[in-house]
């Protein structure tokens, strides 16, 4: 099977309220926050997994599109 690159995938985040946080976590043995971006209602961020970013945490109500489909954060 072909080896998939560990980076280069994109996700789309659309904020459904003010103050949604998009937090980038570092790749490698030390997993920590390295960047936090605040989105207001209706704002869209297109974010990529990179050599520096292995995980993306979203806090608040948002619509998130990935290659696996669509998911909504912040709703119980
Ligand atoms: N400097 C970061 C990087 O190249 C920028 C970044 C990429 C980022 N994807 C992100 C920041 C997702 C927050 C969330 O990895």
């Amino acid at each position: 099977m072909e080896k998939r690159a560990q980076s280069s995938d994109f996700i789309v985040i659309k904020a459904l309220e003010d103050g949604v946080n998009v937090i980038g976590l570092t790749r490698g043995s030390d997993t920590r926050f390295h960047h936090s971006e605040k989105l207001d209602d209706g704002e869209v961020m297109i974010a990529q997994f990179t050599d520096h970013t292995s995980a993306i945490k979203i806090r608040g109500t948002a619509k998130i599109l990935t290659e696996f489909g669509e998911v909504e954060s912040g709703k119980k």
Side-chain angles (χ1 to χ4, degrees):
M1 206 161 84
E2 204 177 302
K3 193 166 175 271
R4 267 174 59 77
Q6 62 180 11
S7 58
S8 89
D9 288 338
F10 284 88
I11 65 169
V12 178
I13 306 125
K14 180 173 186 175
L16 299 178
E17 65 177 353
D18 286 345
V20 170
N21 273 294
V22 179
I23 301 157
L25 291 95
T26 55
R27 188 178 295 284
S29 52
D30 178 29
T31 306
R32 57 179 169 75
F33 288 13
H34 68 72
H35 186 92
S36 177
E37 196 69 39
K38 203 159 248 179
L39 303 182
D40 282 335
D41 197 8
E43 287 187 326
V44 171
M45 180 167 169
I46 301 166
Q48 192 176 24
F49 291 95
T50 69
D51 289 349
H52 300 116
T53 303
S54 66
I56 300 170
K57 173 174 171 171
I58 293 146
R59 186 175 272 161
T61 311
K63 183 189 280 189
I64 302 148
L65 305 181
T66 75
E67 66 176 300
F68 306 108
E70 180 184 322
V71 65
E72 203 163 286
S73 63
K75 288 260 162 76
K76 273 150 240 150

XYZ file of all heavy atoms in Angstrom:
603
model
N 0.846 -1.189 0.000
C 0.000 0.000 0.000
C 0.884 1.242 0.000
O 1.929 1.251 0.644
C -0.923 -0.003 1.220
C -2.178 0.788 0.984
S -3.483 0.356 2.156
C -3.053 1.377 3.536
N 0.428 2.229 -0.716
C 1.214 3.462 -0.796
C 1.236 4.188 0.550
O 0.216 4.295 1.216
C 0.584 4.378 -1.846
C 1.567 5.385 -2.434
C 0.910 6.216 -3.532
O 0.429 5.587 -4.506
O 0.869 7.443 -3.407
N 2.406 4.671 0.943
C 2.527 5.378 2.224
C 1.960 6.789 2.087
O 2.318 7.518 1.173
C 4.010 5.439 2.620
C 4.228 5.867 4.047
C 5.674 5.564 4.471
C 5.929 6.097 5.872
N 6.388 7.481 5.858
N 1.050 7.120 2.993
C 0.442 8.450 2.928
C 1.331 9.477 3.593
O 1.932 9.219 4.629
C -0.915 8.434 3.631
C -2.072 8.150 2.662
C -3.369 7.986 3.397
N -3.745 9.155 4.190
C -4.263 10.274 3.678
N -4.471 10.393 2.390
N -4.574 11.278 4.457
N 1.421 10.649 3.006
C 2.172 11.736 3.636
C 1.521 12.070 4.973
O 0.315 11.953 5.140
C 2.166 12.949 2.735
N 2.344 12.456 5.955
C 1.780 12.786 7.267
C 1.287 14.228 7.314
O 0.758 14.672 8.314
C 2.813 12.546 8.358
C 4.053 13.396 8.231
C 5.028 13.094 9.356
O 4.861 12.146 10.089
N 6.037 13.923 9.481
N 1.463 14.935 6.216
C 0.977 16.307 6.189
C 0.318 16.571 4.843
O 0.224 15.683 4.017
C 2.120 17.277 6.429
O 3.103 17.093 5.452
N -0.168 17.784 4.658
C -0.742 18.291 3.406
C -2.259 18.224 3.323
O -2.836 18.877 2.476
C -0.126 17.678 2.142
O -0.813 16.510 1.784
N -2.929 17.438 4.180
C -4.394 17.447 4.160
C -4.937 18.771 4.699
O -4.397 19.328 5.648
C -4.942 16.307 5.017
C -4.741 14.952 4.374
O -4.578 14.916 3.138
O -4.742 13.956 5.095
N -6.027 19.194 4.091
C -6.676 20.429 4.531
C -7.996 20.111 5.224
O -8.658 19.119 4.901
C -7.011 21.309 3.321
C -5.832 22.025 2.722
C -5.060 21.424 1.738
C -5.499 23.314 3.139
C -3.986 22.079 1.179
C -4.428 23.978 2.578
C -3.665 23.368 1.597
N -8.391 20.983 6.135
C -9.755 20.955 6.654
C -10.322 22.373 6.548
O -9.573 23.347 6.488
C -9.852 20.459 8.112
C -9.169 21.407 9.090
C -9.268 19.063 8.232
C -9.482 21.093 10.551
N -11.649 22.443 6.478
C -12.328 23.738 6.434
C -13.118 23.896 7.726
O -13.838 22.977 8.135
C -13.291 23.809 5.227
C -14.030 25.139 5.210
C -12.536 23.606 3.924
N -12.967 25.048 8.357
C -13.699 25.327 9.602
C -14.532 26.582 9.397
O -13.990 27.633 9.039
C -12.724 25.575 10.769
C -11.756 24.408 10.905
C -13.486 25.826 12.072
C -10.324 24.803 10.872
N -15.841 26.457 9.613
C -16.710 27.629 9.548
C -17.294 27.880 10.939
O -18.000 27.018 11.487
C -17.826 27.433 8.528
C -18.731 28.655 8.457
C -19.738 28.575 7.342
C -20.500 29.905 7.272
N -21.423 29.944 6.141
N -16.995 29.036 11.494
C -17.485 29.386 12.834
C -18.981 29.645 12.786
O -19.475 30.355 11.909
C -16.754 30.619 13.355
N -19.713 29.062 13.759
C -21.164 29.258 13.858
C -21.515 30.137 15.050
O -22.678 30.302 15.388
C -21.873 27.907 13.939
C -21.672 26.983 12.729
C -22.379 25.649 12.955
C -22.180 27.630 11.440
N -20.492 30.690 15.689
C -20.681 31.671 16.763
C -19.393 32.492 16.858
O -18.373 32.132 16.267
C -20.986 30.979 18.095
C -19.836 30.139 18.621
C -20.119 29.506 19.982
O -21.157 29.825 20.573
O -19.287 28.700 20.430
N -19.464 33.587 17.598
C -18.255 34.387 17.818
C -17.306 33.644 18.743
O -17.727 32.901 19.626
C -18.625 35.735 18.461
C -19.286 36.695 17.476
O -19.203 36.452 16.259
O -19.860 37.694 17.941
N -16.034 33.861 18.558
C -15.027 33.369 19.498
C -14.681 31.898 19.382
O -14.240 31.304 20.370
N -14.855 31.312 18.212
C -14.428 29.921 18.011
C -12.895 29.882 17.935
O -12.277 30.703 17.255
C -15.042 29.332 16.722
C -14.427 27.988 16.374
C -16.555 29.199 16.872
N -12.300 28.946 18.663
C -10.842 28.813 18.661
C -10.396 27.631 17.818
O -10.923 26.519 17.974
C -10.332 28.600 20.088
C -10.088 29.895 20.806
O -9.196 30.660 20.429
N -10.897 30.174 21.804
N -9.433 27.889 16.962
C -8.788 26.837 16.172
C -7.356 26.739 16.695
O -6.596 27.707 16.609
C -8.791 27.180 14.674
C -8.096 26.082 13.869
C -10.213 27.395 14.174
N -7.035 25.604 17.266
C -5.755 25.458 17.963
C -4.904 24.413 17.260
O -5.344 23.275 17.042
C -5.997 25.048 19.434
C -6.845 26.119 20.134
C -4.693 24.824 20.161
C -7.593 25.599 21.346
N -3.692 24.784 16.893
C -2.766 23.857 16.248
C -1.886 23.189 17.279
O -1.357 23.859 18.182
N -1.740 21.853 17.170
C -0.867 21.108 18.082
C 0.331 20.574 17.321
O 0.213 20.141 16.165
C -1.638 19.965 18.743
C -2.707 20.425 19.730
C -4.063 20.512 19.067
C -2.786 19.478 20.899
N 1.462 20.587 17.997
C 2.725 20.257 17.344
C 2.836 18.778 16.982
O 2.265 17.918 17.650
C 3.925 20.593 18.253
O 3.750 19.934 19.515
C 4.037 22.089 18.468
N 3.580 18.516 15.938
C 3.918 17.147 15.553
C 5.198 16.724 16.284
O 6.033 17.564 16.598
C 4.148 17.092 14.028
C 4.320 15.684 13.495
C 4.496 15.698 11.984
N 3.311 16.181 11.275
C 2.196 15.474 11.083
N 2.102 14.250 11.540
N 1.181 16.000 10.421
N 5.340 15.456 16.565
C 6.569 14.956 17.195
C 6.313 14.457 18.603
O 5.163 14.340 19.030
N 7.380 14.178 19.326
C 7.248 13.549 20.648
C 6.621 14.483 21.664
O 6.018 14.039 22.644
C 8.609 13.073 21.140
O 9.524 14.131 21.054
N 6.752 15.776 21.421
C 6.200 16.768 22.344
C 4.933 17.375 21.732
O 5.010 18.113 20.764
C 7.291 17.829 22.579
C 6.815 18.935 23.489
O 5.950 18.670 24.332
O 7.315 20.061 23.345
N 3.769 16.993 22.248
C 2.507 17.497 21.694
C 2.022 18.670 22.531
O 1.645 18.512 23.691
C 1.441 16.390 21.703
O 1.968 15.249 21.028
C 0.181 16.843 20.988
N 2.081 19.858 21.945
C 1.636 21.056 22.663
C 0.987 22.035 21.704
O 1.151 21.934 20.488
C 2.827 21.712 23.381
C 3.938 22.057 22.420
C 5.130 22.714 23.054
N 6.214 22.764 22.082
C 6.275 23.599 21.048
N 5.302 24.480 20.841
N 7.267 23.557 20.195
N 0.263 22.990 22.275
C -0.352 24.040 21.458
C 0.757 24.901 20.847
O 1.715 25.237 21.529
C -1.198 24.966 22.334
C -2.480 24.367 22.842
C -2.738 23.011 22.771
C -3.443 25.179 23.418
C -3.934 22.473 23.253
C -4.641 24.652 23.906
C -4.882 23.300 23.829
N 0.645 25.240 19.584
C 1.625 26.186 19.024
C 0.959 27.405 18.395
O 1.613 28.397 18.116
C 2.559 25.506 18.021
C 1.893 25.061 16.747
N 1.462 25.928 15.783
C 1.585 23.828 16.297
C 0.919 25.250 14.795
N 0.974 23.971 15.089
N -0.354 27.315 18.162
C -1.022 28.467 17.543
C -2.506 28.414 17.873
O -3.112 27.350 17.848
C -0.824 28.445 16.031
C -1.358 29.671 15.354
N -0.572 30.789 15.112
C -2.589 29.974 14.896
C -1.314 31.718 14.527
N -2.540 31.252 14.383
N -3.052 29.577 18.169
C -4.492 29.656 18.411
C -5.049 30.803 17.581
O -4.519 31.908 17.595
C -4.732 29.896 19.901
O -6.113 30.044 20.119
N -6.096 30.488 16.851
C -6.720 31.478 15.955
C -8.172 31.634 16.377
O -8.863 30.642 16.621
C -6.640 30.935 14.527
C -6.875 31.939 13.446
C -5.754 32.959 13.338
O -4.575 32.581 13.480
O -6.087 34.134 13.098
N -8.616 32.869 16.499
C -10.005 33.090 16.916
C -10.850 33.481 15.703
O -10.476 34.380 14.952
C -10.048 34.195 17.982
C -11.299 34.106 18.836
C -11.125 34.813 20.174
C -11.126 33.825 21.322
N -10.932 34.416 22.636
N -11.976 32.767 15.523
C -12.878 33.079 14.410
C -14.180 33.640 14.954
O -14.705 33.143 15.955
C -13.206 31.816 13.603
C -12.063 31.010 13.001
C -12.630 29.830 12.218
C -11.193 31.866 12.108
N -14.727 34.631 14.278
C -16.047 35.133 14.630
C -17.099 34.486 13.736
O -16.774 33.867 12.714
C -16.077 36.669 14.532
C -15.421 37.304 15.753
O -15.402 36.653 16.819
O -14.907 38.425 15.634
N -18.366 34.638 14.146
C -19.493 33.995 13.458
C -19.404 34.195 11.947
O -19.273 35.335 11.479
C -20.796 34.615 14.001
C -22.014 33.769 13.694
O -21.856 32.636 13.210
O -23.130 34.251 13.954
N -19.456 33.122 11.218
C -19.444 33.190 9.754
C -18.055 33.165 9.142
O -17.930 32.954 7.933
N -17.036 33.377 9.941
C -15.675 33.360 9.382
C -15.251 31.924 9.072
O -15.621 30.972 9.775
C -14.678 33.996 10.350
C -14.807 35.505 10.422
C -13.720 36.156 11.242
O -13.261 35.569 12.228
O -13.344 37.283 10.893
N -14.445 31.800 8.033
C -13.982 30.491 7.565
C -12.464 30.449 7.630
O -11.794 31.417 7.255
C -14.462 30.245 6.112
C -13.804 29.001 5.525
C -15.975 30.105 6.064
N -11.940 29.340 8.129
C -10.491 29.129 8.076
C -10.239 27.813 7.358
O -10.925 26.806 7.616
C -9.917 29.089 9.485
C -8.424 28.878 9.539
S -7.784 29.210 11.192
C -6.122 28.565 11.005
N -9.291 27.842 6.455
C -8.866 26.627 5.754
C -7.487 26.303 6.305
O -6.572 27.111 6.179
C -8.844 26.861 4.228
C -10.240 27.271 3.762
C -8.379 25.605 3.505
C -10.271 27.850 2.361
N -7.383 25.166 6.989
C -6.143 24.851 7.699
C -5.564 23.548 7.179
O -6.297 22.647 6.760
C -6.407 24.738 9.197
N -4.255 23.468 7.222
C -3.549 22.319 6.669
C -2.778 21.581 7.768
O -2.244 22.204 8.686
C -2.571 22.825 5.613
C -1.977 21.747 4.748
C -1.093 22.342 3.649
O -0.583 23.449 3.794
N -0.908 21.609 2.579
N -2.726 20.262 7.672
C -1.795 19.494 8.496
C -0.431 19.607 7.839
O -0.299 19.451 6.625
C -2.245 18.040 8.598
C -3.510 17.889 9.402
C -4.746 17.840 8.767
C -3.468 17.839 10.786
C -5.919 17.731 9.515
C -4.634 17.727 11.538
C -5.855 17.679 10.900
N 0.565 19.938 8.634
C 1.892 20.232 8.087
C 2.955 19.445 8.853
O 2.637 18.689 9.778
C 2.204 21.735 8.225
O 2.378 22.014 9.626
C 1.105 22.608 7.654
N 4.207 19.695 8.515
C 5.314 19.090 9.261
C 5.309 19.549 10.714
O 5.873 18.877 11.586
C 6.652 19.471 8.621
C 6.863 18.774 7.286
O 6.083 17.856 6.970
O 7.795 19.159 6.563
N 4.687 20.697 10.982
C 4.672 21.238 12.348
C 3.359 20.980 13.071
O 3.304 21.092 14.297
C 4.944 22.748 12.317
C 6.257 23.095 11.713
N 6.379 23.822 10.539
C 7.518 22.770 12.088
C 7.665 23.925 10.241
N 8.370 23.314 11.153
N 2.318 20.656 12.325
C 0.974 20.523 12.908
C 0.431 19.123 12.666
O 0.195 18.734 11.520
C 0.019 21.564 12.273
O 0.574 22.862 12.467
C -1.365 21.483 12.889
N 0.230 18.362 13.762
C -0.283 16.995 13.610
C -1.745 16.887 14.009
O -2.420 15.921 13.650
C 0.522 16.025 14.461
O 0.330 16.307 15.830
N -2.223 17.871 14.777
C -3.613 17.809 15.236
C -4.162 19.226 15.335
O -3.408 20.188 15.547
C -3.706 17.104 16.581
N -5.459 19.333 15.146
C -6.120 20.635 15.207
C -7.313 20.483 16.137
O -8.150 19.589 15.945
C -6.571 21.094 13.805
C -5.363 21.215 12.881
C -7.335 22.418 13.895
C -5.714 21.423 11.409
N -7.339 21.321 17.143
C -8.440 21.272 18.116
C -9.347 22.475 17.898
O -8.856 23.599 17.739
C -7.853 21.292 19.528
C -8.886 21.415 20.632
C -8.206 21.265 21.976
C -9.178 21.598 23.093
N -8.613 21.261 24.411
N -10.644 22.232 17.900
C -11.601 23.314 17.677
C -12.499 23.436 18.896
O -13.114 22.451 19.325
C -12.392 23.086 16.384
C -11.418 23.220 15.217
C -13.524 24.114 16.236
C -11.704 22.356 14.080
N -12.532 24.626 19.455
C -13.351 24.883 20.650
C -14.432 25.892 20.278
O -14.113 26.967 19.760
C -12.430 25.425 21.745
C -13.074 25.602 23.076
C -12.053 26.032 24.105
N -11.397 24.904 24.740
C -10.235 24.984 25.383
N -9.577 26.117 25.425
N -9.741 23.938 25.977
N -15.686 25.518 20.511
C -16.789 26.394 20.142
C -17.638 25.746 19.064
O -17.349 24.628 18.608
N -18.678 26.436 18.658
C -19.609 25.863 17.679
C -19.132 26.177 16.270
O -19.017 27.344 15.890
C -21.024 26.435 17.908
O -21.345 26.314 19.293
C -22.051 25.682 17.094
N -18.864 25.128 15.534
C -18.348 25.302 14.173
C -18.729 24.110 13.310
O -18.977 23.009 13.814
C -16.829 25.442 14.204
N -18.769 24.375 12.024
C -18.932 23.300 11.040
C -17.539 22.990 10.504
O -16.792 23.894 10.130
C -19.853 23.768 9.909
C -20.150 22.693 8.880
C -20.882 23.249 7.688
C -22.365 23.416 7.978
N -23.091 23.761 6.710
N -17.190 21.704 10.487
C -15.853 21.297 10.067
C -15.984 20.304 8.914
O -16.699 19.304 9.032
C -15.103 20.633 11.243
C -15.010 21.595 12.425
C -13.719 20.184 10.815
C -15.033 20.895 13.758
N -15.334 20.594 7.827
C -15.332 19.695 6.672
C -13.961 19.061 6.540
O -12.940 19.762 6.545
C -15.647 20.460 5.385
C -16.928 21.283 5.341
C -17.070 21.948 3.971
C -18.133 20.418 5.600
N -13.963 17.716 6.453
C -12.714 16.997 6.201
C -12.976 15.980 5.095
O -14.116 15.798 4.667
C -12.221 16.228 7.456
O -13.044 15.071 7.622
C -12.282 17.083 8.702
N -11.934 15.275 4.710
C -12.129 14.239 3.684
C -13.030 13.111 4.195
O -13.553 12.317 3.418
C -10.782 13.681 3.227
C -10.041 12.932 4.308
C -8.754 12.308 3.794
O -8.823 11.477 2.876
O -7.684 12.679 4.312
N -13.219 13.050 5.524
C -14.063 12.001 6.104
C -15.517 12.429 6.198
O -16.373 11.638 6.591
C -13.546 11.616 7.493
C -12.097 11.239 7.482
C -11.148 12.084 8.030
C -11.686 10.054 6.900
C -9.802 11.747 7.998
C -10.346 9.712 6.871
C -9.392 10.565 7.415
N -15.776 13.674 5.877
C -17.139 14.161 5.942
C -17.237 15.432 6.763
O -16.239 16.103 7.002
N -18.479 15.705 7.184
C -18.758 16.950 7.878
C -19.110 16.645 9.328
O -19.819 15.683 9.611
C -19.945 17.627 7.189
C -20.359 18.937 7.787
C -21.621 19.487 7.104
O -21.749 19.339 5.876
O -22.456 20.042 7.826
N -18.587 17.467 10.226
C -18.903 17.286 11.635
C -19.117 18.657 12.256
O -18.573 19.653 11.763
C -17.763 16.490 12.343
C -16.463 17.255 12.352
C -18.154 16.084 13.738
N -19.937 18.700 13.306
C -20.175 19.973 13.968
C -19.593 19.900 15.377
O -19.846 18.943 16.101
C -21.673 20.283 14.006
C -21.956 21.760 14.143
C -23.389 22.119 13.780
O -23.709 22.117 12.564
O -24.163 22.379 14.693
N -18.824 20.898 15.747
C -18.281 20.960 17.102
C -19.166 21.850 17.954
O -19.902 22.687 17.444
C -16.849 21.509 17.073
O -16.866 22.841 16.575
N -19.080 21.662 19.259
C -19.727 22.564 20.202
C -21.175 22.263 20.475
O -21.788 22.921 21.303
N -21.736 21.257 19.786
C -23.146 20.896 20.012
C -23.198 19.564 20.750
O -22.454 18.627 20.428
C -23.874 20.746 18.655
C -24.112 22.067 17.973
C -25.556 22.526 18.199
C -25.739 24.005 17.928
N -25.766 24.299 16.499
N -24.073 19.489 21.765
C -24.172 18.230 22.539
C -25.147 17.261 21.894
O -25.927 17.605 21.073
C -24.580 18.537 23.977
C -23.360 18.835 24.837
C -23.686 19.789 25.967
C -22.825 21.041 25.820
N -23.454 22.228 26.344
N 3.030 27.395 11.272
C 1.981 26.407 11.310
C 2.388 25.200 10.471
O 2.981 25.368 9.410
C 0.709 27.044 10.791
C -0.466 26.111 10.766
C -0.679 25.155 9.820
C -1.550 26.016 11.698
N -1.823 24.483 10.083
C -2.392 24.973 11.225
C -1.943 26.704 12.858
C -3.572 24.609 11.889
C -3.110 26.326 13.521
C -3.920 25.300 13.041
O 2.135 24.063 10.875
